[in-house]
Amino acid sequence: MSLAQRDASLLELMDDPACDPDKLRATLRRFETINRLVSRWRRIYRYRIRPFLATLDRPARVLDLGCGGGDVIAQLAAWAESDGFSVEWVGVDPDPRALEVALTRPAPPRTTFLCADGADLLAAGERFDLVLSNHVVHHLTSGELDAFVGQSRELSRGIVLHSDIERGRLAYALYAIGVTPFAPGTFLRTDGLRSIRRSYLQDELAAVLGTPWHVEKSARFRLLAVAPGTG
Ligand SMILES: C[S@@+](CC[C@H](N)C(=O)[O-])C[C@H]1O[C@@H](n2cnc3c(N)ncnc32)[C@H](O)[C@@H]1O
């Protein structure tokens, strides 16, 4: 198996509408642990989100587009709260099975989880100061990605941040070993490894997104696509 080319033909088990619902719930719940270990939102919060929130002279509205089990919002909300920011958090996911898990977590104050996608929010006239996502970009076909990133910019009157894995042999090898204690009863092993094979390199993602997107390495094995909102 080579990681030189992105393998967009691989399907993730969690994307199968007929997948085992117990395993899917367990996977979505355990994303919290995986995200804490690999997604490095603390760093993004410190160098991107906190400085941005500090520029606003009113309570912020922040959207997590494709929020899954809702753990990224919960984590960001805790940091923002301890920094004294007033933020309304909205997490949306088009998959009702993900929403079911998000709705069972103890929600931070001023948090709403909805079963919706970007088009639904635009049709409802919603606007946010910051739109973000985690591990959604690599899931999407090229047509879906165009719509997703375009809608994310339209929904934001501030900035947009899409965080994802950067494909690589070392990331693959380390994940294959490191996921072992967390994998039983979930899709984490198969889907995580397929996710890495579906993910982009920095230059590939920059080329696919085009202007005005800027793709930076937010941490080891991590990419962050950044653009201004148009909303
Ligand atoms: C790997 S999960 C990541 C979930 C969560 N963001 C996390 O980091 O744990 C990808 C999520 O993207 C959602 N998704 C797929 N297509 C989407 C779209 N077009 N717009 C928004 N979310 C989407 C899926 O339903 C799924 O919950």
Side-chain angles (χ1 to χ4, degrees):
M1 183 216 33
S2 163
L3 286 156
Q5 304 289 326
R6 177 169 189 256
D7 191 347
S9 68
L10 288 169
L11 297 180
E12 294 185 40
L13 300 176
M14 68 176 285
D15 288 335
D16 178 355
C19 73
D20 179 328
D22 292 332
K23 280 194 174 179
L24 179 64
R25 266 192 296 276
T27 302
L28 287 158
R29 290 205 180 100
R30 220 160 289 166
F31 276 159
E32 177 156 17
T33 307
I34 299 298
N35 282 332
R36 277 178 198 241
L37 291 171
V38 307
S39 296
R40 310 296 299 275
W41 277 95
R42 181 70 177 152
R43 191 157 185 277
I44 299 169
Y45 175 77
R46 281 206 194 106
Y47 85 92
R48 282 276 181 196
I49 299 179
R50 184 163 61 191
F52 173 71
L53 293 178
T55 65
L56 299 177
D57 53 6
R58 55 186 157 74
R61 295 195 84 210
V62 178
L63 170 68
D64 182 353
L65 200 48
C67 65
D71 59 282
V72 171
I73 276 192
Q75 187 75 86
L76 292 172
W79 296 326
E81 168 96 3
S82 77
D83 283 333
F85 293 117
S86 173
V87 183
E88 179 193 344
W89 303 92
V90 179
V92 301
D93 201 293
D95 186 339
R97 303 168 305 171
L99 240 283
E100 193 190 309
V101 172
L103 289 170
T104 58
R105 73 166 35 259
R110 305 192 66 210
T111 301
T112 312
F113 290 114
L114 299 170
C115 193
D117 62 12
D120 298 326
L121 295 176
L122 285 169
E126 295 279 2
R127 289 296 180 277
F128 301 86
D129 298 294
L130 164 61
V131 175
L132 59 89
S133 77
N134 188 64
H135 293 165
V136 180
V137 164
H138 74 262
H139 260 267
L140 306 175
T141 62
S142 101
E144 288 168 342
L145 181 62
D146 284 349
F148 179 79
V149 296
Q151 289 158 1
S152 67
R153 290 192 68 208
E154 279 186 70
L155 284 164
S156 176
R157 54 193 171 213
I159 55 169
V160 182
L161 305 173
H162 295 305
S163 176
D164 212 334
I165 309 158
E166 183 176 41
R167 192 176 77 247
R169 293 183 68 83
L170 185 57
Y172 192 91
L174 291 174
Y175 184 83
I177 297 163
V179 76
T180 304
F182 311 110
T186 74
F187 299 132
L188 286 175
R189 173 178 294 281
T190 304
D191 281 3
L193 293 173
R194 288 183 183 179
S195 292
I196 295 170
R197 294 173 65 190
R198 283 191 63 100
S199 295
Y200 296 85
L201 300 179
Q202 184 179 19
D203 291 351
E204 290 171 349
L205 186 57
V208 165
L209 295 180
T211 310
W213 289 91
H214 161 72
V215 179
E216 63 199 23
K217 291 189 191 241
S218 54
R220 194 111 196 254
F221 314 128
R222 300 297 300 177
L223 297 178
L224 186 70
V226 184
T230 55

